[in-house]
Amino acid sequence: MKIKPLITEFASLSIKEIKRYSRHVLLPEIGLENQKRISNSKILVIGAGGLGSPILLYLAASGVKELGICDFDVVDETNLQRQILFNNQSIGKDKAQEAKEKINELNPNVKVTVFNEMITSKNAEKIVKDFDLVIDGSDNFATRYLLNDVCVFLDKPYIWASIYRFDGQLSVFWKKHGPCYRCLHPEPPPTNMVQTCASGGVLASMCATIASLQVTQALQLITGVGDVLIGQVLSYSALDANFRKVKVDKDPDCVICGKNPSITSLIDYEQFCGPVKPRKDPGIKAIELKQMLDKRNKNELDFLLVDIREVPEKNLVEIEGSVFINRDDIFANDGISLIPKDKQVVLYCRSGNRSTEVMNYLKHNGFLEVTHLEGGIISWVQEVETHKASY
Ligand SMILES: [Zn+2]
């Protein structure tokens, strides 16, 4: 999507600064005018970790006016594998403060504001309000929903990303131009199923790939150059060097950016992402699945139908044309690697509960074209294969 430049006022640059940023100025699309926009921009980066490190370094090198760094953690040895702001001498020091020093070594023109605290519903508006846009380098769902919501309320672009192992994804959410994070993920994933880089690992250079894409989006928003990822999620798989874009629509029923929002102020995000929460993830009806299978039989449609139940359930009754990948194998073993990211996937279980859970989990892991059979195989035998209705 093309948008007008976010920054409308220009910084005045000295001859020395123009020389410093000359490789930007030389780009016809950027030029001196857009460098002056960049040099007048104020960007908040949440998290100075695997994503935050390259984000902050590239923004500082690009010559932004001000960087906000929000991080309450200290550097530990395991961070050094990817958090390139830090070195051996940084171990045990506050990340945000240490990041500030490194940024000013790189570019003393950049004003750095340190928020050595956790961003919460209590302080979020105060932290975010003076910045032009927010870039998310955090690694947890409570922070993502909080940042989304505060950016909706304050009308700021929110550049989101998530990374895990060899995969990453990102998008730009901005209510007035497109969907928000809640339109993409109405519900957080099941808490006991959340995988983090701390438990599952992450490839160092992949962090830089995604962070660099986030910075590019920020520079494009600031200058209005090119098309930004509003209404699209870009996913990247390092193992096969594959980039994919998937369209995301604004949800008219979104609880925060829809027509009748039920969330009108910041909520308790720890609780929202906690273990007890309502589920609402509609899937497809049995009749629709029947039509899809008929089309697939005629080679008019390609999708994968996955039975996620247990073996004894499968032996009792199954939908013809489905493959069997057990739910626990998807969560705990390598079952997830058997599910394709580049085609539509329909999951089913007995009644629709387990398939909702697995769908939610897969969506948060970059499987954006996954849906499930509402009411499970019970509704299938009631509505389609009625002769099997004894199941
Ligand atoms: Zn929304």
Side-chain angles (χ1 to χ4, degrees):
M1 175 183 280
K2 280 207 184 309
I3 55 143
K4 287 184 184 153
L6 176 68
I7 304 298
T8 51
E9 288 178 24
F10 303 106
S12 57
L13 294 177
S14 65
I15 300 291
K16 201 165 178 286
E17 284 170 304
I18 293 170
K19 187 179 175 205
R20 181 178 184 117
Y21 307 122
S22 60
R23 298 303 184 273
H24 269 170
V25 176
L26 283 168
L27 292 167
E29 292 81 357
I30 302 286
L32 186 56
E33 190 171 85
N34 276 331
Q35 182 59 46
K36 287 179 175 178
R37 294 185 205 271
I38 295 169
S39 295
N40 204 27
S41 65
K42 298 187 281 186
I43 299 176
L44 178 64
V45 179
I46 306 296
L51 289 171
S53 284
I55 290 170
L56 288 162
L57 287 169
Y58 271 111
L59 288 171
S62 299
V64 299
K65 179 181 182 181
E66 182 177 345
L67 283 171
I69 308 172
C70 187
D71 200 311
F72 61 98
D73 213 353
V74 294
V75 181
D76 80 40
E77 195 177 10
T78 65
N79 299 152
L80 302 182
Q81 167 257 14
R82 67 202 172 282
Q83 301 184 13
I84 56 173
L85 271 168
F86 313 120
N87 56 37
N88 279 331
Q89 281 69 49
S90 312
I91 293 171
K93 295 182 181 166
D94 287 337
K95 279 190 182 175
Q97 188 57 39
E98 188 73 358
K100 176 180 175 160
E101 284 166 29
K102 293 287 152 43
I103 287 165
N104 283 143
E105 279 172 24
L106 169 63
N107 191 344
N109 301 327
V110 178
K111 179 187 171 193
V112 182
T113 305
V114 166
F115 301 95
N116 199 345
E117 58 194 309
M118 189 176 171
I119 189 160
T120 65
S121 337
K122 290 198 175 69
N123 60 15
E125 289 199 13
K126 207 169 124 226
I127 292 175
V128 171
K129 71 177 168 43
D130 291 329
F131 291 92
D132 299 309
L133 62 88
V134 177
I135 306 186
D136 189 356
S138 75
D139 58 358
N140 69 83
F141 290 95
T143 304
R144 288 173 193 153
Y145 283 99
L146 166 64
L147 293 176
N148 177 71
D149 292 1
V150 74
C151 287
V152 167
F153 293 139
L154 297 176
D155 184 27
K156 311 270 183 193
Y158 166 45
I159 305 178
W160 159 81
S162 83
I163 49 171
Y164 181 66
R165 294 192 165 170
F166 297 94
D167 294 318
Q169 39 183 325
L170 73 148
S171 187
V172 177
F173 300 112
W174 195 0
K175 183 195 165 189
K176 71 178 170 199
H177 293 290
C180 80
Y181 181 67
R182 285 180 186 270
C183 297
L184 175 65
H185 294 307
E187 293 283 339
T191 32
N192 52 339
M193 298 304 166
V194 172
Q195 294 178 318
T196 65
C197 299
S199 59
V202 64
L203 189 72
S205 55
M206 208 273 301
C207 303
T209 307
I210 299 299
S212 167
L213 289 165
Q214 286 180 285
V215 173
T216 303
Q217 291 297 312
L219 296 176
Q220 288 182 261
L221 285 165
I222 290 165
T223 57
V225 168
D227 286 294
V228 286
L229 280 173
I230 291 173
Q232 289 178 309
V233 172
L234 176 62
S235 68
Y236 169 64
S237 167
L239 282 183
D240 53 3
N242 189 32
F243 282 97
R244 285 182 66 227
K245 274 203 263 188
V246 177
K247 194 167 168 280
V248 184
D249 291 321
K250 199 172 175 82
D251 176 3
D253 298 322
C254 176
V255 291
I256 193 160
C257 80
K259 288 191 196 88
N260 297 301
S262 56
I263 295 180
T264 51
S265 60
L266 298 178
I267 59 169
D268 182 335
Y269 294 88
E270 294 294 337
Q271 191 192 36
F272 174 68
C273 295
V276 185
K277 57 191 174 295
R279 291 254 160 254
K280 72 139 210 187
D281 270 314
I284 58 167
K285 306 260 188 279
I287 297 296
E288 290 174 69
L289 177 60
K290 174 76 171 69
Q291 290 163 350
M292 288 172 68
L293 285 166
D294 289 346
K295 277 191 179 168
R296 194 177 72 175
N297 288 339
K298 289 188 252 169
N299 288 325
E300 292 170 6
L301 182 70
D302 190 20
F303 72 97
L304 188 72
L305 179 61
V306 185
D307 179 358
I308 59 152
R309 298 170 302 158
E310 303 298 321
V311 174
E313 297 179 275
K314 167 185 148 60
N315 291 341
L316 217 53
V317 62
E318 64 181 323
I319 301 174
E320 202 184 317
S322 59
V323 299
F324 179 76
I325 310 174
N326 171 258
R327 166 186 173 273
D328 291 344
D329 286 339
I330 294 173
F331 285 146
N333 301 318
D334 269 345
I336 196 166
S337 65
L338 301 173
I339 300 172
K341 277 188 173 164
D342 58 355
K343 72 162 104 168
Q344 193 181 6
V345 175
V346 181
L347 309 167
Y348 75 92
C349 64
R350 181 171 180 275
S351 67
N353 287 334
R354 280 173 287 174
S355 58
T356 304
E357 181 189 41
V358 174
M359 173 182 73
N360 203 5
Y361 170 75
L362 290 174
K363 281 188 174 176
H364 280 284
N365 280 285
F367 295 81
L368 298 170
E369 294 175 82
V370 56
T371 184
H372 80 126
L373 173 60
E374 262 182 57
I377 198 164
I378 290 178
S379 73
W380 176 264
V381 298
Q382 282 170 350
E383 291 165 35
V384 180
E385 291 194 88
T386 47
H387 60 283
K388 293 182 181 171
S390 60
Y391 173 69

